[in-house]
Amino acid sequence: MYIDFYPSQVHLCCFRVLHLVVIMAATHLFAVLLPCILALPGIMAELSQPGVTCAEESVKAAASLGVLYINKKHKHGFKFKLQEVKGSTYQQFSGGCHIDVTLKLVETKCHFTNPKPHQECELRRWNERGAVASCSVEFWVMWDVPKILKYECTTKPERTNDEMIRVCPNCPKLLSLDDPRGLSAVEQAVKRFNQNSKYDNYFTLMEVAQLTEGYIITIGTITWLKFALIETTCPREAELTFASCTPRCPDRAHHIFCQTSYYNTHKQIGQLDCETYQPKNTEPLPEGQEEPVCRPLFHQSAEACACKAMLESPEVSIHHICPFPLK
């Protein structure tokens, strides 16, 4: 059948078709752009953060990048936060510059295995026996691309035990991280965790994070324990001794951070207070493929030995920030 359209009818039909196409396209475009619109504040906030350049006002950005890098490299103990920029030097050369910043960092309550960004971590109260660090960080900026060449930190308790006694006689004192009584208590706590655990695999001690001790008249001496666990390859039903279990690779393992009390008079562990951090890599292994074997835990590694050798008079009750690079 042949239909003869007059020019006005043709124009009207085309207009209606075009109008429908525009509406459909706009609807589709809005659906595509909606996630971007919702994420815009976060994107803009990220883009608004100043980068490290050779402008002298970029010292604050250099300090932030330095703390981020230090926490990324820090493989034991707790994350640190920036307290203040104590000083900086700046040297211009062709195509770039050299920046040195001196930072004061304070220890947070986040263990290094905690996925929370260090900026969101809670600081320790003055009587919780935290550590502080004075760090010198060297940057090389070439064509506005920053690179950290090295950093060195001096880490120490915010107050020594002697200093703490003078201002707070009843506050807990710091113990050495390898204190025999503390280690024995941690061993008991790890055993209890595995006995009550609902996970498929056993957990082994990754590190003792902090040991403190105090005395309460009605209870006696109490040792407060903070320690980190890592998931092993041993199933709970396996007929193996716990000591022979190998830790899973860090990205495939559950991590646990626990706190508890040990009542020395009664030789008893208190209630465990533990946080669980999920694996970063949850992809199942292909059928028949064995669990990969990774590097040893930090405290059994050559890196830890090199770190210890480079530290001058390390305080045995805290986790020190290792220098970078380790020579």
Side-chain angles (χ1 to χ4, degrees):
M1 182 175 66
Y2 178 76
I3 300 175
D4 187 16
F5 283 102
Y6 289 101
S8 58
Q9 291 176 305
V10 173
H11 293 160
L12 180 60
C13 181
C14 291
F15 176 79
R16 287 174 177 170
V17 171
L18 181 60
H19 181 65
L20 180 61
V21 170
V22 169
I23 292 174
M24 291 174 64
T27 303
H28 178 70
L29 182 61
F30 181 76
V32 172
L33 291 179
L34 181 58
C36 300
I37 294 170
L38 294 175
L40 190 58
I43 294 172
M44 294 305 294
E46 184 176 343
L47 292 176
S48 66
Q49 293 178 358
V52 181
T53 68
C54 284
E56 292 189 32
E57 61 269 17
S58 75
V59 169
K60 185 177 179 181
S64 297
L65 181 60
V67 180
L68 188 69
Y69 197 78
I70 287 170
N71 279 311
K72 182 180 178 181
K73 291 284 185 182
H74 193 52
K75 298 177 183 176
H76 61 127
F78 299 90
K79 295 183 180 183
F80 284 80
K81 250 182 180 178
L82 177 66
Q83 186 176 72
E84 65 172 318
V85 179
K86 299 176 69 176
S88 63
T89 60
Y90 171 89
Q91 183 178 3
Q92 185 84 35
F93 57 82
S94 178
C97 62
H98 185 271
I99 304 173
D100 287 338
V101 291
T102 304
L103 312 174
K104 182 178 181 181
L105 311 183
V106 289
E107 194 176 54
T108 72
K109 294 184 179 182
C110 290
H111 191 255
F112 85 95
T113 55
N114 190 325
K116 186 184 294 186
H118 72 271
Q119 299 95 327
E120 298 177 13
C121 292
E122 186 181 351
L123 292 176
R124 295 178 185 275
R125 295 192 295 270
W126 69 274
N127 60 346
E128 290 182 318
R129 309 312 313 270
V132 294
S134 178
C135 300
S136 174
V137 188
E138 292 187 21
F139 290 84
W140 180 37
V141 183
M142 179 63 74
W143 310 118
D144 289 339
V145 177
K147 180 180 179 181
I148 292 180
L149 300 177
K150 62 180 291 189
Y151 62 75
E152 292 184 356
C153 300
T154 300
T155 317
K156 62 180 184 178
E158 190 168 10
R159 287 183 176 88
T160 66
N161 283 335
D162 290 341
E163 290 170 340
M164 201 66 184
I165 287 174
R166 288 196 288 270
V167 296
C168 181
N170 296 322
C171 286
K173 68 175 183 179
L174 284 166
L175 297 179
S176 167
L177 293 172
D178 59 1
D179 177 79
R181 187 163 59 182
L183 291 179
S184 176
V186 169
E187 187 179 343
Q188 291 184 46
V190 175
K191 185 177 180 180
R192 178 188 288 185
F193 177 87
N194 280 299
Q195 288 172 343
N196 300 329
S197 172
K198 296 181 181 179
Y199 291 94
D200 294 334
N201 293 347
Y202 281 110
F203 282 75
T204 190
L205 181 66
M206 172 182 264
E207 69 175 14
V208 176
Q210 188 189 54
L211 297 175
T212 54
E213 189 175 84
Y215 181 80
I216 299 176
I217 296 176
T218 56
I219 299 175
T221 303
I222 299 178
T223 305
W224 289 280
L225 321 171
K226 294 183 176 70
F227 56 94
L229 306 176
I230 186 170
E231 184 182 11
T232 74
T233 57
C234 289
R236 288 178 53 78
E237 65 274 11
E239 295 182 3
L240 296 171
T241 59
F242 179 65
S244 67
C245 294
T246 304
R248 299 186 77 181
C249 292
D251 67 323
R252 296 183 56 81
H254 286 85
H255 290 82
I256 309 285
F257 179 75
C258 293
Q259 305 179 67
T260 190
S261 305
Y262 179 74
Y263 302 95
N264 292 271
T265 303
H266 305 286
K267 300 188 183 331
Q268 235 177 11
I269 293 288
Q271 184 176 349
L272 289 175
D273 177 17
C274 299
E275 295 181 355
T276 302
Y277 311 133
Q278 300 297 325
K280 296 177 182 177
N281 179 5
T282 57
E283 287 292 323
L285 292 172
E287 188 175 352
Q289 182 174 328
E290 294 184 359
E291 191 77 28
V293 177
C294 289
R295 293 180 299 175
L297 299 177
F298 175 81
H299 295 285
Q300 287 83 49
S301 68
E303 184 179 359
C305 294
C307 175
K308 187 175 181 179
M310 292 180 67
L311 296 174
E312 295 183 8
S313 304
E315 169 57 53
V316 294
S317 63
I318 62 172
H319 290 275
H320 292 255
I321 296 175
C322 295
F324 169 81
L326 288 170
K327 299 175 183 177

